[in-house]
Amino acid sequence: MKAVVIGAGLGGLLSAARLSKAGCQVDIFERLPITGGRFTNLSYKGFQLSSGAFHILPHGPAGPLAQFLNEVGADVKIVRSDIITVRVPLKKGSQDYEKGFKDIPFNDFSTLLSHKDRLKIAFLIVSTRKNRPSGSTLQTWIRSQFKDEWLVRFADAFCGWALSLKSDEVPVEEIFEIIENMYRFGGPGVPIGGCKGVIDALESVIAENGGKIHTETEVSKILVENGKAAGVLVGAEAHKANLVISNLGHAATACLCAEALSGEKDSGYLRRLETLKPSAGIKICLAADEPLVGHSGILLTPYAKRVNGINEVTQVDPRLAPPGKHLTMSHQYVAPDNVKNLESEIELGLQDLKEIFPDKKYETLLIQSYHDSWPVNRAASGMDPGNETPIPGLYVVGDGAKGKGGIEVEGVALGVAATMKKILG
Amino acid sequence: MKINDNCVGCGQCASFCKKGAIEVKGKALATDACVDCGVCVLYCPVKAIEVLA
Ligand SMILES: Cc1cc2nc3c(=O)[nH]c(=O)nc-3n(C[C@H](O)[C@H](O)[C@H](O)COP(=O)(O)OP(=O)(O)OC[C@H]3O[C@@H](n4cnc5c(N)ncnc54)[C@H](O)[C@@H]3O)c2cc1C
Ligand code: SF4
Ligand code: SF4
């Protein structure tokens, strides 16, 4: 079988590794001079920043991505993070960190509730595993059970960090699937070498199995013959294939084969794509001589104005920064209406960091924002339209087609695994 | 070079510019240090950098 993969992002490379290992002849076309898309390293002033991700795998060494890498023989060391902590004001009733704060472990979030609500949470933790709530957003569900704003703040920080969404944008079903996956696979981890550690390992597997990656090569059209995917057009050259995997998300993929999708029977698919909303976010990269977070996990900051959480990857892999330095990165969700006010959103993020690290010395290395066609997430979690398209032989992988309950790259891996099962059986 | 409205502010160009000539804050901005070498153009994921003829 001949396969073409459009885009050498994580989803494209995972697909190519699996297909080439199964004996397919695979060609990958990537528009940029570099591979990895939003999941690779960017060298900047001696630091290994990233083109997107925080060098984090949401479920660490046991998650769907780690399992997939293991199955295809990609050699990556993934270190489980110690702990997730939550920064809360020292004084009950304070709405910010100005008068002091303390850090509590993630699992102790319920200690801030009233005695009655704590009992209720304990009950819900057990009962919801059997009877999953459904049919509303996470926030509506929380408000229907509790009268405590702390829980909404906590949920917003978690959803902002993990999904770049607010709790009123996430279907409650998706969150319960994520919680189930946390039980199943455990918490986050960091790949040694950062995102690029994963990308390099996948490229070795692809090369060993005869797959070819063509960088600086843009696909301009997906060829469709007799209603089936038949290859791609690169410049004036046609590359024939029986299978086309697109790593571009459903909307951009549909643009590459617009004529073939212009029939009445495809109008439902196209209408669905119009409802997809990419999520936006801002990452602020800090350099410091002393640790700012102090552990290898995530520090959630539910009482900051904008920043949702922060990590410090040098706690796991010191080589992601020059000797003696730390690389610390914050993430903040950006609401759709605020994408046009990125500068003021960034200012609020920078003010937050001053409040979160009041006595620490650090330097702002680079501020990176993501939205629209280069977003944090192409399809908001819980809204992914699956991996198939109306055209047989054309599949979509990547974060515009994640598997259920899969946070970011874990969702990418689940989507690719499901696609490969359909193709290879 | 010119940076158009496609720019999302991802900073990718800044990491590939050898002259340190790009500042980013929501959008990229080329400083006077830019020598118009055109290297950054290739690395922009959203085709936001145009070389001026
Ligand atoms: C700020 C930020 C923080 C994040 N943090 C995390 C995190 O900590 N953990 C986590 O798990 N996830 C995180 N994510 C999400 C994660 O980075 C993405 O989900 C993942 O990288 C998406 O991969 P993808 O397979 O969709 O491919 P993409 O990265 O979208 O790659 C697509 C590739 O296709 C190429 N391409 C586009 N058009 C064409 C064409 N016509 N022809 C050829 N090639 C083309 C592009 O150049 C690109 O290389 C974060 C994302 C961002 C932006
Ligand atoms: S054109 Fe060259 S010097 Fe100017 S910003 Fe781009 S890479 Fe830097
Ligand atoms: S790489 Fe492109 S989108 Fe990113 S900051 Fe530079 S010009 Fe803007």
Side-chain angles (χ1 to χ4, degrees):
Chain A
M1 185 156 59
K2 265 182 106 164
V4 159
V5 177
I6 314 171
L10 183 66
L13 293 175
L14 289 171
S15 307
R18 184 78 181 78
L19 289 169
S20 61
K21 222 178 142 76
C24 299
Q25 189 186 327
V26 187
D27 282 286
I28 305 150
F29 298 108
E30 166 56 53
R31 196 177 76 75
L32 299 176
I34 53 166
T35 55
R38 286 166 288 151
F39 199 79
T40 191
N41 298 7
L42 297 180
S43 299
Y44 191 71
K45 296 187 177 168
F47 291 79
Q48 293 300 309
L49 307 187
S50 114
S51 58
F54 283 75
H55 299 308
I56 284 190
L57 310 189
H59 295 298
L65 177 59
Q67 285 176 24
F68 196 103
L69 293 170
N70 200 20
E71 274 162 33
V72 296
D75 185 16
V76 190
K77 185 159 185 250
I78 300 158
V79 180
R80 176 88 71 191
S81 303
D82 315 324
I83 191 172
I84 302 178
T85 54
V86 188
R87 186 154 292 187
V88 296
L90 208 48
K91 268 228 214 65
K92 235 183 157 165
S94 290
Q95 299 302 314
D96 56 41
Y97 300 124
E98 227 172 296
K99 297 210 171 69
F101 48 73
K102 61 177 178 185
D103 293 347
I104 62 167
F106 183 87
N107 290 336
D108 288 357
F109 75 92
S110 63
T111 57
L112 299 189
L113 294 170
S114 68
H115 184 64
K116 199 171 128 237
D117 283 348
R118 240 184 292 171
L119 286 176
K120 188 161 185 189
I121 279 268
F123 167 74
L124 283 170
I125 286 173
V126 179
S127 66
T128 51
R129 284 197 82 178
K130 280 219 175 72
N131 295 311
R132 297 261 191 100
S134 64
S136 70
T137 69
L138 173 63
Q139 193 176 103
T140 308
W141 181 78
I142 293 174
R143 292 222 155 102
S144 73
Q145 301 286 339
F146 301 94
K147 297 246 161 338
D148 196 309
E149 281 309 298
W150 149 244
L151 278 178
V152 175
R153 267 186 195 268
F154 180 58
D156 278 339
F158 178 79
C159 294
W161 169 264
L163 312 171
S164 221
L165 292 173
K166 257 184 122 68
S167 62
D168 62 359
E169 294 171 299
V170 186
V172 69
E173 293 91 326
E174 182 70 10
I175 281 294
F176 276 86
E177 192 68 34
I178 287 172
I179 295 172
E180 195 58 38
N181 280 341
M182 290 193 22
Y183 283 122
R184 214 177 277 154
F185 306 124
V190 176
I192 297 298
C195 300
K196 194 165 183 294
V198 174
I199 298 304
D200 287 346
L202 283 170
E203 285 191 20
S204 308
V205 173
I206 294 166
E208 272 163 33
N209 291 291
K212 286 202 183 68
I213 303 176
H214 312 264
T215 50
E216 288 183 63
T217 309
E218 179 170 3
V219 168
S220 55
K221 195 176 174 178
I222 295 169
L223 303 171
V224 180
E225 284 168 15
N226 303 322
K228 283 195 194 129
V232 297
L233 209 59
V234 172
E237 210 180 316
H239 287 262
K240 294 282 188 168
N242 328 76
L243 182 67
V244 177
I245 309 266
S246 167
N247 194 196
L248 316 186
H250 281 272
T253 304
C255 288
L256 291 181
C257 49
E259 287 159 37
L261 288 173
S262 57
E264 185 55 36
K265 69 171 179 34
D266 302 319
S267 59
Y269 172 72
L270 295 177
R271 266 201 305 277
R272 174 143 195 228
L273 302 191
E274 274 170 31
T275 65
L276 292 180
K277 275 185 298 182
S279 53
I282 294 166
K283 175 170 62 184
I284 303 179
C285 308
L286 307 177
D289 292 328
E290 55 172 337
L292 299 180
V293 172
H295 60 70
S296 68
I298 294 146
L299 170 67
L300 291 177
T301 52
Y303 286 87
K305 285 183 280 300
R306 287 293 187 272
V307 169
N308 303 121
I310 305 170
N311 75 339
E312 198 157 74
V313 282
T314 36
Q315 296 284 345
V316 172
D317 188 351
R319 281 188 305 184
L320 295 171
K325 293 273 185 188
H326 278 285
L327 171 60
T328 310
M329 299 183 281
S330 73
H331 180 72
Q332 65 192 79
Y333 155 86
V334 176
D337 285 348
N338 284 334
V339 168
K340 57 182 185 300
N341 309 323
L342 278 181
E343 275 200 54
S344 46
E345 290 294 295
I346 288 168
E347 273 315 318
L348 289 169
L350 290 168
Q351 278 174 27
D352 277 343
L353 290 169
K354 276 193 198 147
E355 269 194 32
I356 295 167
F357 301 125
D359 308 313
K360 307 263 185 177
K361 262 220 215 103
Y362 58 83
E363 178 201 341
T364 304
L365 277 171
L366 189 66
I367 301 168
Q368 301 172 276
S369 50
Y370 298 83
H371 56 91
D372 293 293
S373 56
W374 201 240
V376 179
N377 209 333
R378 278 191 215 281
S381 281
M383 302 299 179
D384 299 77
N387 303 95
E388 279 167 303
T389 68
I391 300 173
L394 172 64
Y395 295 86
V396 175
V397 296
D399 70 356
K402 296 178 295 301
K404 225 177 151 201
I407 303 177
E408 304 195 311
V409 295
E410 306 292 4
V412 172
L414 286 173
V416 172
T419 309
M420 293 303 124
K421 202 152 180 230
K422 281 191 190 112
I423 296 167
L424 300 169
Chain B
M1 51 88 130
K2 180 178 165 262
I3 295 164
N4 68 33
D5 285 345
N6 285 351
C7 175
V8 297
C10 71
Q12 194 142 304
C13 52
S15 82
F16 288 99
C17 171
K18 291 192 178 62
K19 299 283 170 193
I22 300 180
E23 284 167 8
V24 200
K25 196 174 183 186
K27 283 216 179 307
L29 191 82
T31 65
D32 289 346
C34 171
V35 295
D36 272 317
C37 68
V39 165
C40 55
V41 177
L42 295 174
Y43 291 91
C44 175
V46 295
K47 299 190 191 174
I49 313 178
E50 297 165 30
V51 198
L52 297 178

